[in-house]
Amino acid sequence: MSGIASGMTLFSALLLLLLVRVPIGVAMFMIGATGYVWFTGWEWTPLLNSLKNLAYARLSNYDLIVIPLFLLMGQFATHGGLSRSLFRFVSAFLGHMRGGIAMAAVGACAAFGAICGSSLATAATMGQVALPELERAKYSGSLATGALAAGGTLGIMIPPSVPLVIYAILTQESIGKLFMAAVVPGVIAMVGYMVVIQIMVRLNPGSGPAGPRVGWSERLRSLLVVLPVLLVFVVVIVGIYGGWANPTEAAAIGAAACGVLAVVNGGLRWRGLWNVGLGTAQTTAMIFLVLLGADQLNTALALSQMPTELAAWVKESGFPPLLVMVAILLVYVLLGCVMDSLAMILLTIPVFYPVVMSLDFWGLSPTDKSIWFGILALMVVEIGLVHPPVGMNVYVINRIAHDVPLTETFKGVVPFLLSDFVRIAILLFFPVLSLVLVRTFQT
């Protein structure tokens, strides 16, 4: 059996386990271990020798420390009331417009994503803050929940982003460069969602009525409250890329700063601190389990020679590079229907990355191509968070909005999905949008 056929057999078995609801980390580990034994002639000794080093080799990686630190920063932001301050700030400037409160929710999601790094946490936190305001302003259920579900995806698009950290570790790419590259696409995503809201309320004015206008004194007060939060984002991103702090140090500074803000401004107390620590530990354990499962599966795929054979086959096939990239992006969209974002990154990057790096796209250098593909992959993974039938953000928001049917929430998400596809097409043909800040700060 060829390497590609062997690899596809492993993927098929993995999907079967996922269909019967085996946890993704456990499923990848089981298939990886079985594949390893298969490719070593059904001998168990090589697998046992590999396992004794697998966990240490992965979890002793110093770069992984940034994951629990960014998660801790997000937990402080979630439990410390920072989300309310961000929503009040953006709403003070946009709430008086038609559809303005929904736009404020999207803007607050982007700002919260700058100190959180998790889409589910962003959607859940901002949903609890913004949904009551949207309901009070008589917004339609589909627009309110659709905007919040889509806005929640900005949690991983706006740096710091946990999936981008994983991508950087898998590809040996610079975390700072990837964070910097994600800023412009993240801003484009936020603006695109706001444009969608404006189009929807113009087509149906009753779906998003205007709120009361807020005076400049209130606007300035709300700005003063969120300035420390914005400063945390600047310190983390500029600190990493400016070279005066490595990602771990910048994440530690950001987590400590968010902790102080949560105690001083948000009234975080001992019970909240316990919840912060527990939430960080649970999410970190889940991510590390998925990492170990992915490592075992990727070891088996390496033995099968699937990534190497696939890259060689694509290179020799004569397919246009853009056609190959579109096919890869479509695979991501399909995987997003059945798999979460972190699992998709861990599962596909070892297979797709060699293929992409073997092709020429717009004359990009290997580093630029690696960064561009990372941002593209992140944006398509982001779609999986709102794409049926899984769409985890949709379920999170719908659980908060008890009186809105799930079908209405999915209906409300569709226009935002169209915006996502337009944004991906733009970045596909204009890679400079993800590289402009990287190149600017290099020179």
Side-chain angles (χ1 to χ4, degrees):
M1 188 180 292
S2 69
I4 294 177
S6 302
M8 292 307 297
T9 301
L10 294 183
F11 279 118
S12 300
L14 176 63
L15 289 176
L16 284 175
L17 288 182
L18 295 179
L19 285 175
V20 297
R21 305 184 69 82
V22 176
I24 181 66
V26 176
M28 287 195 291
F29 190 89
M30 289 171 60
I31 297 301
T34 304
Y36 196 104
V37 174
W38 176 21
F39 297 130
T40 53
W42 300 106
E43 291 287 337
W44 288 90
T45 304
L47 172 64
L48 296 175
N49 288 332
S50 172
L51 289 178
K52 69 181 183 182
N53 297 319
L54 180 72
Y56 178 79
R58 168 53 68 196
L59 301 182
S60 62
N61 188 334
Y62 179 74
D63 290 339
L64 279 181
I65 301 174
V66 302
I67 293 177
L69 287 173
F70 281 138
L71 292 174
L72 180 61
M73 186 163 70
Q75 287 287 330
F76 277 131
T78 300
H79 293 279
L82 302 182
S83 54
R84 295 185 190 88
S85 301
L86 291 168
F87 178 72
R88 281 197 293 266
F89 165 63
V90 186
S91 184
F93 286 87
L94 299 176
H96 64 282
M97 301 168 57
R98 187 183 296 167
I101 300 179
M103 293 168 63
V106 168
C109 284
F112 191 75
I115 52 173
C116 181
S118 165
S119 282
L120 293 179
T122 301
T125 304
M126 295 312 304
Q128 292 170 350
V129 172
L131 264 178
E133 297 294 329
L134 291 163
E135 291 171 354
R136 201 161 20 247
K138 307 298 183 184
Y139 274 64
S140 69
S142 61
L143 175 59
T145 55
L148 283 168
T153 64
L154 298 173
I156 61 170
M157 194 67 237
I158 303 290
S161 167
V162 172
L164 271 186
V165 173
I166 298 297
Y167 177 88
I169 292 170
L170 292 176
T171 60
Q172 301 298 305
E173 193 53 76
S174 164
I175 294 176
K177 288 182 178 180
L178 284 165
F179 280 2
M180 194 64 70
V183 171
V184 172
V187 172
I188 292 174
M190 180 188 69
V191 172
Y193 291 161
M194 291 183 176
V195 170
V196 166
I197 292 170
Q198 280 295 297
I199 292 173
M200 292 174 71
V201 296
R202 289 183 186 278
L203 294 175
N204 182 10
S207 64
R213 184 180 292 273
V214 175
W216 276 102
S217 59
E218 178 62 28
R219 292 179 180 180
L220 291 176
R221 275 196 297 269
S222 66
L223 174 60
L224 290 175
V225 172
V226 301
L227 271 179
V229 179
L230 302 177
L231 183 62
V232 170
F233 170 74
V234 172
V235 167
V236 170
I237 302 304
V238 176
I240 292 174
Y241 200 74
W244 58 264
N246 63 37
T248 304
E249 293 165 346
I253 293 169
C258 281
V260 172
L261 290 174
V263 172
V264 175
N265 295 336
L268 187 68
R269 295 297 177 260
W270 288 112
R271 184 65 183 174
L273 286 173
W274 169 263
N275 292 332
V276 164
L278 183 62
T280 302
Q282 289 174 335
T283 308
T284 301
M286 179 274 292
I287 291 174
F288 282 8
L289 176 62
V290 175
L291 273 171
L292 291 176
D295 277 350
Q296 185 59 60
L297 179 61
N298 293 332
T299 302
L301 290 175
L303 287 176
S304 74
Q305 298 295 309
M306 179 189 179
T308 305
E309 287 187 15
L310 184 61
W313 178 79
V314 170
K315 193 171 183 179
E316 294 168 2
S317 66
F319 292 138
L322 277 180
L323 180 62
V324 175
M325 182 63 81
V326 169
I328 289 174
L329 298 180
L330 287 175
V331 170
Y332 273 120
V333 172
L334 294 174
L335 286 177
C337 297
V338 296
M339 200 175 291
D340 66 79
S341 56
L342 185 63
M344 277 195 283
I345 290 288
L346 289 165
L347 188 63
T348 59
I349 292 304
V351 177
F352 290 154
Y353 187 77
V355 174
V356 171
M357 296 304 290
S358 68
L359 300 173
D360 177 54
F361 294 95
W362 315 111
L364 295 174
S365 68
T367 299
D368 286 349
K369 187 162 49 178
S370 175
I371 294 171
W372 172 61
F373 177 60
I375 303 303
L376 266 179
L378 183 70
M379 289 199 300
V380 187
V381 162
E382 175 190 318
I383 289 176
L385 292 165
V386 291
H387 193 287
V390 176
M392 289 301 298
N393 276 15
V394 174
Y395 289 99
V396 167
I397 293 297
N398 193 257
R399 196 176 300 124
I400 300 171
H402 303 289
D403 56 342
V404 180
L406 184 61
T407 52
E408 281 296 299
T409 305
F410 273 119
K411 177 183 172 183
V413 158
V414 170
F416 297 98
L417 279 174
L418 296 177
S419 170
D420 286 333
F421 287 122
V422 170
R423 172 164 45 96
I424 289 167
I426 291 172
L427 188 65
L428 182 63
F429 288 98
F430 299 98
V432 68
L433 291 173
S434 62
L435 301 171
V436 59
L437 289 182
V438 178
R439 293 173 175 174
T440 299
F441 282 88
Q442 275 181 333
T443 56

